[in-house]
Every structure is written in structure tokens, then in C-alpha cells.
Amino acid sequence: MRIWRSEHTFNHTWETVTQAAWRKYPNPINSSIIGTDVIDRKVIDGILHTHRLVSSRFGFPRWAQALIGHAKICYASEKSEVDPVNREMTLKTRNLTFCNHIAVDETVRYTPHPNDPEKTLLQQEAVVTVSGVPLTHYMEELLTSKICFNSGMGRQAMEWVIEKLHLEEFDDLLSQTVRQFDDLTTKTRRGMDDLQSAIKSFDEIHNLTSNPSSQSMPKF
């Protein structure tokens, strides 16, 4: 059995990081994860519970495939809990493919950083167990190294998603500003038209009162 742990600090708020976590896959940086499908989602006592099926391409070397077999696509079960009050998000993932010989239990937790609430602390742990095949030590070492590598790629992917979220927020703000400017321009144009109509009406009244017709002039 191998146990791998890691911590990382994101310079973003918990709300931003957890939003990015939902939209993490697929991404161009870590292309091994090809999709996620929601199996179940519900809210219990204010906590969001989600069960997803994660699809990935996990490339094993030929010697490992000879021991455990080959699968074009690997599947894993991911169960998560999001507590918005206490600002904690926990994801627990376990492999479904090759589960007769391999068990990979991974836990990921996002919480506000204890020293800076504007930052987010990522804590990861993976427990790797291989049994029933030769070279279990090498297999566990291989899987642990792959998890460590994918973790680094995953953090880069999170930053990519967060950057995308910021761009979307900027685009939304820009669109909102343009709409407000267009509304203001339209209202200003209408106001100018109304003002010109009022001026025209005033001029007509002024002309009638200042230049009376000959018929209305008194005769002496």
C-alpha cells in the first residue's frame, strides 16, 4: 500500500476555486480526463451531495497491461460534498476499472486558507493498493507517480479554468456596460427629440402670439 499526500495554496477565494473545480474537466492541460457525468445530485441539510462518473485515459506500460489487462477508457466514481456555510468542498474518488487488482482512493478537500481567507487551501490524499498480481510494489509506485504528476497538471488546469471564469466575468461586465450605454443613448436621443418637439411647439405658439393675423387687428 502507498499513501501520497500533497497541499497547495490557490491565490483565489474559496468560491472561485470551487466554481472552477466543477468546470475543471475537460481542459486542454490535463487531457487524460475526457468527461464527467452526473449520476445523482441532491441537497441534504444545506449540503450539496453529487455523484459523478469520471471517464479517463490512463496509459499503463505494456508490462502492467500484461498483468492487469487493458482498457481503452477507465472509469471512476466520484462523490462530493459542498458545504457553503462552512466553506468546505470534499471530493472522494475511487476507481471502477481494474478494481479486482487495483484500489485507488483519492480525497480532495478545498477550504479557505487558515492564514488568509482570500486564498484557498487544497489538500489531497491518495491511498494506492495493488493485490493479486506480481510486481505489486512496482505497480503501486507507478500509480503513485502518475497521481503525483496528474496532480500538478490538475493545479495548472484549475488556474486555466479560473482565468476563463475571469474572462467570462469581464465579458459579462462589458456586455452589461454596452447595454447600459445603449439604453442611456436611446433615452438621451428620445429626450432630445422630446426637447426639440417642445421647442418647435414653443416657437409656433410664440409666432402666433407675436404676429397676430390682419383679421384680428382692430379697425380704426
Side-chain angles (χ1 to χ4, degrees):
M1 182 176 70
R2 296 279 179 178
I3 299 177
W4 173 85
R5 294 186 178 94
S6 176
E7 287 190 357
H8 177 75
T9 300
F10 289 101
N11 294 321
H12 311 282
T13 63
W14 180 84
E15 288 76 12
T16 298
V17 172
T18 52
Q19 184 181 2
W22 286 122
R23 300 178 57 178
K24 185 178 179 181
Y25 300 114
N27 65 77
I29 297 174
N30 187 2
S31 59
S32 61
I33 307 296
I34 58 177
T36 57
D37 296 288
V38 176
I39 298 174
D40 185 35
R41 177 168 285 168
K42 54 192 173 184
V43 177
I44 302 175
D45 297 329
I47 298 177
L48 175 64
H49 297 259
T50 304
H51 185 195
R52 298 195 299 181
L53 181 68
V54 182
S55 309
S56 65
R57 294 190 179 96
F58 200 100
F60 285 96
R62 290 185 178 180
W63 65 266
Q65 294 180 25
L67 297 175
I68 63 174
H70 171 71
K72 186 176 181 180
I73 299 178
C74 297
Y75 297 98
S77 172
E78 177 199 83
K79 295 183 178 181
S80 63
E81 295 182 4
V82 181
D83 186 346
V85 176
N86 296 311
R87 302 176 76 196
E88 182 174 344
M89 180 179 188
T90 303
L91 304 95
K92 295 184 178 182
T93 307
R94 182 161 194 173
N95 65 294
L96 300 175
T97 307
F98 306 125
C99 58
N100 291 332
H101 302 294
I102 298 174
V104 179
D105 294 288
E106 183 180 7
T107 302
V108 177
R109 182 172 289 107
Y110 298 97
T111 56
H113 197 282
N115 299 326
D116 188 347
E118 294 301 310
K119 298 180 180 180
T120 303
L121 178 63
L122 164 64
Q123 296 172 300
Q124 291 178 272
E125 178 182 278
V127 179
V128 180
T129 305
V130 178
S131 60
V133 294
L135 305 174
T136 57
H137 171 77
Y138 293 102
M139 288 284 290
E140 290 174 350
E141 190 69 30
L142 169 68
L143 290 167
T144 304
S145 299
K146 190 70 171 178
I147 291 170
C148 182
F149 175 79
N150 286 340
S151 174
M153 298 294 287
R155 291 194 291 267
Q156 295 180 42
M158 287 286 286
E159 294 290 350
W160 179 83
V161 175
I162 291 172
E163 176 79 16
K164 186 178 179 180
L165 289 174
H166 288 163
L167 290 175
E168 289 177 357
E169 291 175 358
F170 176 78
D171 289 341
D172 290 342
L173 180 61
L174 180 61
S175 299
Q176 182 180 358
T177 302
V178 170
R179 287 195 300 269
Q180 291 176 348
F181 180 78
D182 289 342
D183 291 342
L184 180 61
T185 302
T186 301
K187 292 179 181 179
T188 302
R189 187 179 295 111
R190 289 176 179 174
M192 292 298 295
D193 291 342
D194 293 341
L195 179 61
Q196 291 177 356
S197 297
I199 293 175
K200 183 177 180 180
S201 299
F202 177 79
D203 289 341
E204 291 175 352
I205 295 174
H206 178 73
N207 291 334
L208 289 174
T209 55
S210 59
N211 298 310
S213 62
S214 58
Q215 294 179 355
S216 61
M217 293 291 291
K219 296 181 179 180
F220 296 98

